[in-house]
Amino acid sequence: MKPVTFILLFSMLFIIACKTPPEQVPESVPAEDMKHELPEQVQPVSSKDTGSHYCIIAFDGGGMKGALTAKILLMLEQAVPRLLYNINLYAGTSSGGIITLSLAHGKTPQEILDFYLKNGEKLYAKYPVPPGFDQGINRPFYTFEHYKTLLEEQFPRNPALSSLQTDVVVPSFMIDEKGASHPVYFHNFAGSPYSKERVTDVALRTCADPVYFPDYQGYIGAGMFTANPSLAALSAALDPELGKAGLENVRLLSLGTGTGPMKIEKKDEDWGAAQWINPYGKPAIPLLQILMIGTGELNDYHCRMILGDKYMRFNVLLDKNYAVDDWKNVSDLVKEAGEYVITHQDEWQELINWIEEIFL
């Protein structure tokens, strides 16, 4: 699938959206301390075996905040046990890509949550910086050394994308020194040119966010242009060469990694590159934060206008802002997700009703 096809689809969907009237719609934490009883699992079915609806779940990127997404997904599965039985397509960026690949591989939401709870410190192991260099300035903050090992344990025998049980879309960005740099949307639809790509390689390519990690095999993370992959997922579903779905059949659930208050401590109006991409700023790398939030909200708006009540986004409103590399406070993040559901029962019930009455 050529990147230009996705770009054309994005443009077409944008035109539809504009013409369509709005519709109403510490330490690594012991996983044993956060176990939940789960319904019996069944293996996800292939998209060819599902009903008339073309069901998509898209997962935002957000580093360690992927633990929040996993927690929400776990609670959704407990509320609607058949939620994951007939999914046609998973899509995810960065940590959302790991969730996507894990679900398509047959992992449960609990197993995905455990992955984050157990491994935070190892996932964000400091990059070895030589004398005269600074982390985040002329070297990345973290190394993939342990990250790759943990993913290889998460995906035994490192399967190819073609072996996954469900279709996936995982965005990344290829860096080409000859001038052909472009977005790449790894997928495993029939005839995919990426069918032989290994799951761990794709996961690391979508997680290689600049400044935080080095590039991986010539790829960097896609969080800067599609932190929320909902529109990419919708484009793939409607593509006559990929998902081949009809617009009337598509149902799309978008899950965020939580949104907290983001205050940019801007002392004056004369900021240059040093301030906008300062990895030690508050927040870190303000420009990156703006890009992730801005593109995420834009994709949300487009999908809402295109699909109307066939689209639903759920994103927890957090009391504070958690950094993508904040593994020490991941237990607080997960706890806050659980508490949000309790204190926002009407919003949660609306989501459950939508899943049962429209999505499935």
Side-chain angles (χ1 to χ4, degrees):
M1 175 61 182
K2 296 182 179 179
V4 67
T5 307
F6 266 104
I7 294 171
L8 289 172
L9 277 168
F10 279 9
S11 301
M12 292 170 62
L13 291 174
F14 178 76
I15 293 171
I16 295 173
C18 292
K19 292 185 177 180
T20 304
E23 299 184 39
Q24 293 299 318
V25 289
E27 301 273 336
S28 295
V29 183
E32 293 77 8
D33 295 343
M34 308 193 75
K35 292 284 186 182
H36 300 270
E37 291 185 5
L38 282 174
E40 250 181 66
Q41 298 294 312
V42 299
Q43 295 296 329
V45 299
S46 73
S47 58
K48 294 180 181 179
D49 300 324
T50 58
S52 59
H53 292 172
Y54 189 100
C55 299
I56 307 169
I57 305 182
F59 304 99
D60 284 15
M64 282 304 299
K65 293 167 70 176
L68 179 147
T69 309
K71 172 67 173 178
I72 294 298
L73 187 64
L74 174 60
M75 291 188 290
L76 282 176
E77 185 190 48
Q78 291 172 337
V80 188
R82 61 196 180 100
L83 171 62
L84 303 180
Y85 289 7
N86 294 301
I87 301 300
N88 297 84
L89 176 65
Y90 293 114
T93 300
S94 186
S95 57
I98 292 177
I99 295 172
T100 286
L101 294 167
S102 296
L103 290 170
H105 185 58
K107 298 289 184 182
T108 67
Q110 181 68 65
E111 289 174 316
I112 298 169
L113 178 58
D114 290 347
F115 175 80
Y116 286 102
L117 295 176
K118 291 179 179 179
N119 300 314
E121 185 173 10
K122 291 181 180 179
L123 289 172
Y124 288 87
K126 294 291 186 180
Y127 190 92
V129 178
F133 290 81
D134 297 308
Q135 285 179 326
I137 302 296
N138 40 30
R139 285 295 184 273
F141 278 111
Y142 307 108
T143 174
F144 274 136
E145 180 182 358
H146 300 302
Y147 213 130
K148 183 175 182 179
T149 300
L150 291 168
L151 286 174
E152 289 172 345
E153 294 173 358
Q154 181 81 343
F155 303 105
R157 296 181 295 279
N158 195 10
L161 289 184
S162 60
S163 70
L164 297 178
Q165 301 163 357
T166 310
D167 290 335
V168 300
V169 171
V170 180
S172 183
F173 193 94
M174 188 184 78
I175 301 297
D176 190 327
E177 295 179 356
K178 297 180 180 179
S181 301
H182 59 83
V184 176
Y185 296 85
F186 293 102
H187 63 82
N188 61 339
F189 291 100
S192 170
Y194 309 115
S195 61
K196 294 183 180 180
E197 297 285 356
R198 296 294 165 177
V199 167
T200 56
D201 291 333
V202 173
L204 289 171
R205 290 169 186 172
T206 195
C207 288
D209 294 318
V211 182
Y212 290 101
F213 288 100
D215 69 61
Y216 184 78
Q217 297 177 341
Y219 293 84
I220 61 173
M224 291 177 293
F225 66 92
T226 183
N228 172 357
S230 296
L231 194 58
L234 179 57
S235 297
L238 298 176
D239 192 314
E241 297 180 4
L242 300 181
K244 304 176 183 179
L247 182 61
E248 68 281 359
N249 295 325
V250 172
R251 305 292 186 272
L252 174 53
L253 172 60
S254 173
L255 296 179
T257 56
T259 179
M262 189 186 77
K263 177 182 178 182
I264 298 178
E265 296 188 0
K266 192 173 184 298
K267 305 299 184 184
D268 58 67
E269 60 186 34
D270 297 323
W271 270 18
Q275 290 79 27
W276 282 113
I277 61 174
N278 179 12
Y280 297 98
K282 294 182 180 180
I285 321 175
L287 183 59
L288 178 59
Q289 303 297 326
I290 292 170
L291 287 171
M292 292 179 67
I293 294 173
T295 58
E297 293 295 328
L298 189 62
N299 286 346
D300 173 46
Y301 174 73
H302 288 171
C303 289
R304 194 176 302 279
M305 293 302 100
I306 294 165
L307 292 175
D309 64 359
K310 295 179 290 185
Y311 169 80
M312 176 66 76
R313 179 163 172 80
F314 186 81
N315 202 15
V316 173
L317 296 176
L318 300 168
D319 292 334
K320 67 175 186 179
N321 192 35
Y322 292 84
V324 296
D325 56 349
D326 188 3
W327 60 268
K328 292 182 180 180
N329 292 307
V330 66
S331 58
D332 293 339
L333 177 67
V334 172
K335 180 180 178 182
E336 195 168 336
E339 291 174 345
Y340 184 86
V341 169
I342 295 173
T343 57
H344 294 74
Q345 276 293 323
D346 289 346
E347 183 181 352
W348 182 252
Q349 191 58 52
E350 180 185 4
L351 174 61
I352 299 301
N353 292 343
W354 180 85
I355 290 174
E356 293 179 332
E357 297 171 9
I358 297 178
F359 184 72
L360 296 177

